[in-house]
Amino acid sequence: MPDSINRRKSNIVALATLVLYPLSLIKDLSALAFTSILGFSAVAYTVFFIIVRSLDGTYALSALGEPLGKFVSDGSILLPSFAKSTLWNLDFTSLVLMSSLGLAFIAHYNAPTFFRGMEKPTIPRFGKMVKTSYLILAAIYCLAMNCGYATFGDVCKGNILLNYHSSDILAVAARVATGFSILFGFPLVFRGARLALSSVMSTLGFKDFEEGKHHTALVTAMLTAITSIAITVEDVSLVVGLSGATMGSLLVYILPPIMYTKAVKMAKGADSLEYKKERLNLAFIPLGLFIAGMGVFMTLKSRA
């Protein structure tokens, strides 16, 4: 493909138009089950690759800090550095990680859809599914983070795959796999955003959105806005950090206690013992505000 066409912006527009747009138009979540499996398989390969490269020595340095592995000997990539490495140091820069994790574990917006899509939708089975999923995700995140840092240390980029050598065939395959996982996982996230926006519009009096009469127009407008942001912003870690600090804190620490205590108040009454007890959950709100504010500050500071 000519270099005049094979550019970042043109590739984003092509993928958004030819792949993401048709997938985002799908209303039935069960139709995306196959793509979800493909996306998870792609993530599993990428994590496996990161583990392998952390153990095989191809990016290793000698005891004196000299290039030793075959992919660091030509000086074309940043050499691993562990000058700031420590097991126990915990400071405000850790809030950048908390912001990213806040976004990584968010699936709340699709919870009702997941519940309805279960073969036998019961609360115990749903709870078991959620716990199992989160444990698997936690294991994947821990493996990827630890092995990625063990390979490159302080010079890890926001997208760890950008640290690997361009001639590393396994790294190239991992980048392709990550691209597929994003493509296949995007419709699930997009659907949650679309339903939330439709609900907001319906609440404001635009009932047609709730009935799905403007489904195509809404998908087109939303995807156009998202594509424009993707073209403009190149540092994915900045987007993850900021959205995780703000939206993550809002969805994890702030809104749930407000909604839960209000539900208990409506069900049991303002004078009930249950309501007075559950009001303690509101203590998460100042914690969420603190994490959000400091997360935004430290994310911006780390990129300055």
Side-chain angles (χ1 to χ4, degrees):
M1 184 179 293
D3 292 338
S4 59
I5 300 177
N6 186 23
R7 297 178 181 272
R8 178 178 178 274
K9 293 182 178 180
S10 58
N11 289 338
I12 290 175
V13 172
L15 288 173
T17 305
L18 301 177
V19 181
L20 296 182
Y21 185 65
L23 290 175
S24 298
L25 287 172
I26 298 175
K27 295 183 178 181
D28 184 7
L29 196 64
S30 62
L32 301 173
F34 179 68
T35 62
S36 298
I37 295 174
L38 291 178
F40 180 78
S41 300
V43 171
Y45 166 78
T46 302
V47 174
F48 176 75
F49 155 75
I50 294 175
I51 295 172
V52 169
R53 284 295 184 247
S54 71
L55 298 174
D56 65 4
T58 52
Y59 289 87
L61 302 178
S62 68
L64 299 176
E66 298 296 327
L68 183 63
K70 69 175 183 178
F71 290 123
V72 293
S73 58
D74 62 0
S76 62
I77 63 172
L78 289 174
L79 292 180
S81 172
F82 300 92
K84 300 179 182 179
S85 178
T86 174
L87 288 176
W88 306 112
N89 182 41
L90 186 66
D91 53 27
F92 283 118
T93 56
S94 302
L95 290 172
V96 177
L97 174 61
M98 290 188 65
S99 298
S100 299
L101 290 178
L103 183 65
F105 282 100
I106 289 178
H108 304 60
Y109 42 77
N110 272 332
T113 305
F114 290 151
F115 180 79
R116 291 192 297 267
M118 296 180 68
E119 185 175 344
K120 296 178 181 179
T122 62
I123 297 299
R125 293 188 76 245
F126 181 74
K128 182 178 180 181
M129 182 269 290
V130 170
K131 291 176 183 177
T132 303
S133 300
Y134 272 57
L135 285 174
I136 293 174
L137 284 175
I140 290 174
Y141 292 148
C142 288
L143 278 172
M145 285 189 295
N146 282 283
C147 293
Y149 188 81
T151 306
F152 296 106
D154 304 329
V155 299
C156 289
K157 298 182 180 180
N159 180 355
I160 188 66
L161 295 179
L162 296 178
N163 281 95
Y164 295 94
H165 201 284
S166 58
S167 64
D168 187 344
I169 300 301
L170 294 183
V172 174
R175 295 186 185 105
V176 174
T178 300
F180 277 116
S181 70
I182 294 173
L183 289 177
F184 295 145
F186 179 86
L188 298 176
V189 180
F190 184 86
R191 187 178 188 278
R194 176 176 57 79
L195 292 177
L197 182 58
S198 298
S199 178
V200 171
M201 297 298 292
S202 177
T203 302
L204 295 176
F206 300 94
K207 298 297 182 181
D208 288 347
F209 283 92
E210 184 179 17
E211 299 171 0
K213 293 182 178 179
H214 302 294
H215 174 70
T216 302
L218 182 61
V219 170
T220 303
M222 291 179 63
L223 192 57
T224 299
I226 293 172
T227 304
S228 300
I229 296 173
I231 291 174
T232 305
V233 181
E234 296 186 10
D235 188 355
V236 66
S237 64
L238 179 63
V239 176
V240 170
L242 292 179
S243 58
T246 54
M247 295 297 102
S249 296
L250 189 67
L251 291 175
V252 174
Y253 300 107
I254 299 176
L255 291 182
I258 293 176
M259 296 168 63
Y260 179 65
T261 52
K262 186 173 181 179
V264 174
K265 181 180 179 180
M266 294 174 62
K268 302 294 184 179
D271 298 326
S272 65
L273 181 62
E274 291 88 345
Y275 173 66
K276 293 178 181 179
K277 180 181 178 181
E278 298 304 335
R279 285 187 65 185
L280 294 174
N281 290 303
L282 296 176
F284 282 104
I285 296 176
L287 172 64
L289 293 173
F290 172 77
I291 292 177
M294 292 303 299
V296 169
F297 174 75
M298 295 307 301
T299 299
L300 294 175
K301 183 180 178 180
S302 65
R303 296 293 174 267

